[in-house]
Amino acid sequence: MEGIEKIVLFLLEQQGHLAGRLQKLGEQRKILLEQPDMSQICQLREAYREVGQDLLKLLWFVDMNATGIRKILKKFDKRFGYRFTDYYVTTRANHPFSQLQQVFKHVGIGAVVGALSRNLADLEDHQGSCLSIYDQPSIPLKDPVIDQINASVDRLTRSTNFLQFIGQHALIAQEDIPSAAEDHVDDQRYHFISLLLNLANTFLYMVNTYIIVPTADDYSLSLGAAATVCGVIIGSMAVAQVFSSVYFSAWSNKSYFRPLVFSSIMLFMGNMLYALAYDLNSIAVLLIGRLLCGLGSARAVNRRYISDCVPLKIRLQASAGFVSASALGMACGPALAGLLQTNFKIYLLTFNQNTLPGWVMALVWLMYLFWLWISFREPVHDTEEGHAPQDADAGCMNNERLENGPLQPLLLSSKEKQDEDGDQDFDDSEEASEESRRPATSIASAYRLLTPSVKVQLLIYFMLKYAMEILLSESSVITTLYFSWSTSTVAIFLAILGLTVLPVNAIVGSYLTNMFEDRQILLASEIVVLVGIILSFRVARLYSVPQYVCSALITFVSAEVLEGVNLSLLSRVMSSRLARGTYNGGLLSTEAGTLARVVADGTITLAGYLGEDQLLNVTLLPSLLICLASIVATFLTYNTLY
């Protein structure tokens, strides 16, 4: 800690010197604004640029020491076989009183950067007019030193905030800052409308999944089946998604446009069959329609597009958008179903609360397909070869001036630095081997990469998805049986549950992760989920609305908290070989969650044969047992979760 304290004190001292120089230059700038002099304005601009160059050196100093801290922690991990780095950086760097705030979050440097950027912009615009970048934020900052400073600040942005927390839900690879050449390639591949189309696909698919939940039991009754067949109706989409996730993930290696077109066509056809099943009086047509919808699940493509084609500087925002689109779709689906409470016929086609979800979604997917066809731009699927020499040249050009600067890291002595560099060379050569970087090529090879910690996290993900699916899928049957709720009431209840997702993630990502370790939140959330499941059981003759609503809220909200920290830990303990390729970590988690939904929906239908009066307790019992198993597994692997 003494070495870190020296770094922080020196950093604060240098920030004070830079702030003092900016204040003096600001006084000169005010005088020049009253009496403009072109030669003096040019001199003042050069003086600001000199401050900018010194700021770059200071940023380089912070970056080098942050790297030094990570090297020390990495050596600790290597010698003791204990994953300490992620835990240490996350808990210390995010604590409000930690000195690492200065190193990893560059607290205070942002104000210096802002003042420098504003003053340079003022001088460059109309030779020092009073126009400010705050008044017109669209004014480009053309001075190259500003671009270099912004790039350096971006390099230092490493923190656990709401955006990063919610982005981790997507399990999309967040790599280190790329070189200028790689970033240029990313910019060429990136197309905003194409990204928007992928996010729209994610949103509409989640709407399509949950729009039938409030009316599935009534639809099955109208076709002569039991109300509990709603489990099969809802779950058939998940059954098909188990297989579609694999071939869509493989397809995205070659194209993004064609899989999205295929997805839209399948979803259009599936919703048409779902709507026509009522007039055809066929439960088989209904199930085929839902299976086709599941075969159109392109979430693997959406995730891969963000991972492969979105520049790193906005990939975190895109990942958060992916998760937010899913959450909003989950809330909008039941809400939209609540608005479709009407009944009329056009020729031989019936439009009511059961068929309208199919008709509406078929129309929406047809419109989406047209938008996709005219607006999507297929990125170039090229290899990554040939970047290394260009990256090296770019790195040398960008850092040549900084490496010759007077500032040296205070964290390491020269001997320690040489030792660390030697270890780093060895580590790099070891990690750069072809075998260690090769992605998994099959489900079997991916499974062999799963450590006990990863398996436990996948079990937890299975458990929380199972508990949530039981709650959501049987809600219409349970509330109709015990409370006589209407379809609109069920839709409002489910929409409210869905709308809790983003606020809960905001609280966890902004506050709880800064106060507690992820593994502590994980274990506490599992226990609260267990409490919610226990409270959901019907133990007395009378089953009240407050008991059901409160237990449902406890279960759902705690499961949402659990999902966030679960995927955050999963992204850290999973092998880097599962970050790319067809059989990636996102696919494995998707398969685990989808299988949980299939099992849960099947459980609802099977439990219906025991009688609707036993439905609630019978379906909750597996949730209880799986939750207890996950808690025990968490205790057994607790010390490996960092």
Side-chain angles (χ1 to χ4, degrees):
M1 292 301 294
E2 182 179 353
I4 295 177
E5 184 177 351
K6 289 181 179 179
I7 297 170
V8 172
L9 292 177
F10 179 78
L11 177 61
L12 292 174
E13 180 185 11
Q14 295 302 314
Q15 287 180 16
H17 289 328
L18 292 175
R21 291 169 61 185
L22 285 175
Q23 185 177 6
K24 292 179 180 179
L25 293 175
E27 295 174 356
Q28 299 178 26
R29 174 179 161 275
K30 290 181 181 178
I31 297 175
L32 287 177
L33 288 177
E34 297 175 357
Q35 299 178 353
D37 186 325
M38 287 297 299
S39 61
Q40 293 185 11
I41 288 178
C42 292
Q43 293 176 3
L44 185 60
R45 186 184 301 139
E46 289 302 319
Y48 273 116
R49 286 173 179 161
E50 290 179 4
V51 175
Q53 294 295 336
D54 290 340
L55 178 57
L56 275 172
K57 294 175 183 177
L58 185 61
L59 289 171
W60 174 76
F61 169 82
V62 178
D63 187 29
M64 289 295 292
N65 282 284
T67 302
I69 293 172
R70 292 191 181 99
K71 285 182 179 180
I72 291 176
L73 294 172
K74 183 177 179 181
K75 175 174 277 191
F76 181 91
D77 292 347
K78 183 178 178 181
R79 288 183 176 177
F80 294 94
Y82 203 66
R83 293 183 62 86
F84 186 71
T85 301
D86 292 332
Y87 161 73
Y88 184 86
V89 172
T90 300
T91 55
R92 267 62 174 181
N94 290 293
H95 194 280
F97 304 114
S98 172
Q99 293 174 330
L100 285 181
Q101 286 268 356
Q102 291 286 343
V103 179
F104 286 102
K105 290 193 174 182
H106 47 273
V107 177
I109 291 181
V112 179
V113 174
L116 181 63
S117 302
R118 185 182 66 253
N119 289 320
L120 268 175
D122 288 346
L123 289 173
E124 288 188 359
D125 187 77
H126 300 105
Q127 289 75 42
S129 72
C130 61
L131 196 61
S132 171
I133 59 172
Y134 294 130
D135 300 324
Q136 294 191 16
S138 61
I139 296 177
L141 299 178
K142 299 180 180 179
D143 199 295
V145 73
I146 300 300
D147 293 333
Q148 295 175 25
I149 290 173
N150 289 334
S152 298
V153 171
D154 288 341
R155 188 184 299 275
L156 292 173
T157 303
R158 297 288 187 269
S159 61
T160 303
N161 51 30
F162 170 51
L163 192 61
Q164 186 173 14
F165 179 81
I166 195 173
Q168 286 173 331
H169 283 54
L171 272 186
I172 294 171
Q174 303 293 338
E175 300 169 351
D176 294 334
I177 299 295
S179 65
E182 288 176 328
D183 204 27
H184 179 64
V185 171
D186 283 341
D187 288 337
Q188 288 181 329
R189 290 165 59 86
Y190 171 63
H191 182 229
F192 175 73
I193 299 300
S194 300
L195 172 62
L196 196 61
L197 282 162
N198 274 277
L199 297 180
N201 184 281
T202 299
F203 170 77
L204 292 177
Y205 184 79
M206 293 303 291
V207 172
N208 211 146
T209 301
Y210 289 98
I211 193 173
I212 72 161
V213 172
T215 58
D217 60 331
D218 186 62
Y219 205 167
S220 61
L221 286 172
S222 67
L223 297 179
T228 51
V229 176
C230 69
V232 174
I233 296 173
I234 298 171
S236 57
M237 193 169 177
V239 171
Q241 188 179 346
V242 172
F243 304 98
S244 67
S245 296
V246 178
Y247 69 72
F248 270 118
S249 182
W251 202 352
S252 61
N253 291 327
K254 299 180 179 179
S255 174
Y256 301 101
F257 175 69
R258 288 191 291 272
L260 291 176
V261 170
F262 178 78
S263 166
S264 304
I265 293 173
M266 297 299 289
L267 284 157
F268 170 75
M269 294 172 56
N271 282 289
M272 288 289 292
L273 290 177
Y274 182 86
L276 290 171
Y278 187 89
D279 293 306
L280 296 175
N281 195 28
S282 172
I283 191 74
V285 173
L286 180 70
L287 293 176
I288 292 173
R290 290 295 288 177
L291 285 170
L292 289 179
C293 288
L295 291 175
S297 172
R299 288 173 63 82
V301 180
N302 306 143
R303 186 184 285 111
R304 282 290 296 276
Y305 183 86
I306 295 174
S307 177
D308 296 345
C309 302
V310 176
L312 187 63
K313 57 189 175 185
I314 61 170
R315 191 176 301 163
L316 193 61
Q317 292 90 325
S319 302
F322 176 85
V323 176
S324 301
S326 300
L328 291 175
M330 182 179 178
C332 290
L336 182 58
L339 299 176
L340 302 178
Q341 303 301 302
T342 185
N343 192 348
F344 61 93
K345 293 193 71 169
I346 299 179
Y347 297 107
L348 299 177
L349 300 178
T350 302
F351 297 86
N352 56 25
Q353 65 174 9
N354 297 325
T355 62
L356 274 173
W359 292 120
V360 169
M361 292 310 301
L363 178 62
V364 170
W365 283 113
L366 186 62
M367 296 169 60
Y368 173 83
L369 180 60
F370 177 74
W371 181 27
L372 178 73
W373 193 270
I374 65 174
S375 301
F376 191 87
R377 190 174 73 189
E378 180 76 85
V380 178
H381 285 259
D382 54 357
T383 60
E384 296 179 358
E385 297 175 1
H387 292 317
Q390 194 172 4
D391 294 348
D393 293 339
C396 291
M397 291 175 64
N398 290 335
N399 295 325
E400 181 179 1
R401 179 173 52 251
L402 298 181
E403 291 176 354
N404 295 327
L407 300 178
Q408 296 294 332
L410 299 179
L411 187 65
L412 303 173
S413 66
S414 60
K415 184 178 184 302
E416 291 171 333
K417 185 175 184 298
Q418 291 174 358
D419 293 340
E420 288 292 336
D421 289 341
D423 289 342
Q424 183 67 25
D425 291 339
F426 175 79
D427 292 342
D428 288 345
S429 63
E430 185 178 33
E431 294 171 356
S433 64
E434 183 179 356
E435 181 64 28
S436 65
R437 293 181 178 272
R438 185 181 302 162
T441 56
S442 65
I443 289 288
S445 62
Y447 182 80
R448 286 193 293 269
L449 293 173
L450 302 183
T451 62
S453 299
V454 176
K455 293 177 181 178
V456 169
Q457 295 309 306
L458 290 175
L459 171 64
I460 294 172
Y461 192 69
F462 180 93
M463 178 272 293
L464 68 91
K465 285 298 181 183
Y466 182 93
M468 292 172 68
E469 188 71 10
I470 288 289
L471 170 64
L472 297 174
S473 295
E474 70 178 10
S475 58
S476 58
V477 179
I478 297 299
T479 54
T480 301
L481 176 64
Y482 292 111
F483 317 130
S484 300
W485 281 7
S486 65
T487 300
S488 298
T489 306
V490 177
I492 293 172
F493 171 69
L494 294 177
I496 291 173
L497 285 181
L499 288 173
T500 62
V501 174
L502 290 180
V504 167
N505 283 331
I507 294 172
V508 175
S510 299
Y511 300 103
L512 292 184
T513 54
N514 290 334
M515 299 169 62
F516 304 99
E517 301 173 28
D518 280 357
R519 60 178 183 171
Q520 293 174 329
I521 303 175
L522 181 85
L523 184 57
S525 301
E526 289 180 271
I527 295 174
V528 177
V529 169
L530 179 65
V531 171
I533 293 173
I534 293 174
L535 292 177
S536 300
F537 277 90
R538 182 190 174 209
V539 294
R541 186 174 183 84
L542 179 64
Y543 193 63
S544 64
V545 173
Q547 179 186 353
Y548 176 76
V549 172
C550 291
S551 61
L553 281 172
I554 292 173
T555 303
F556 189 84
V557 171
S558 57
E560 280 298 325
V561 175
L562 180 59
E563 182 177 4
V565 292
N566 169 248
L567 293 180
S568 175
L569 284 169
L570 187 60
S571 66
R572 278 187 258 166
V573 300
M574 189 172 286
S575 169
S576 60
R577 292 179 61 187
L578 295 173
R580 295 280 186 181
T582 300
Y583 303 96
N584 52 65
L587 176 64
L588 294 178
S589 64
T590 299
E591 292 291 275
T594 304
L595 285 173
R597 292 171 52 202
V598 171
V599 175
D601 292 325
T603 303
I604 294 173
T605 300
L606 293 176
Y609 290 103
L610 301 176
E612 291 186 349
D613 192 52
Q614 300 295 323
L615 176 65
L616 181 64
N617 288 351
V618 170
T619 54
L620 287 174
L621 185 59
S623 297
L624 179 66
L625 297 177
I626 299 173
C627 187
L628 286 172
S630 69
I631 291 175
V632 172
T634 302
F635 273 113
L636 294 176
T637 58
Y638 188 76
N639 289 331
T640 65
L641 301 178
Y642 288 101

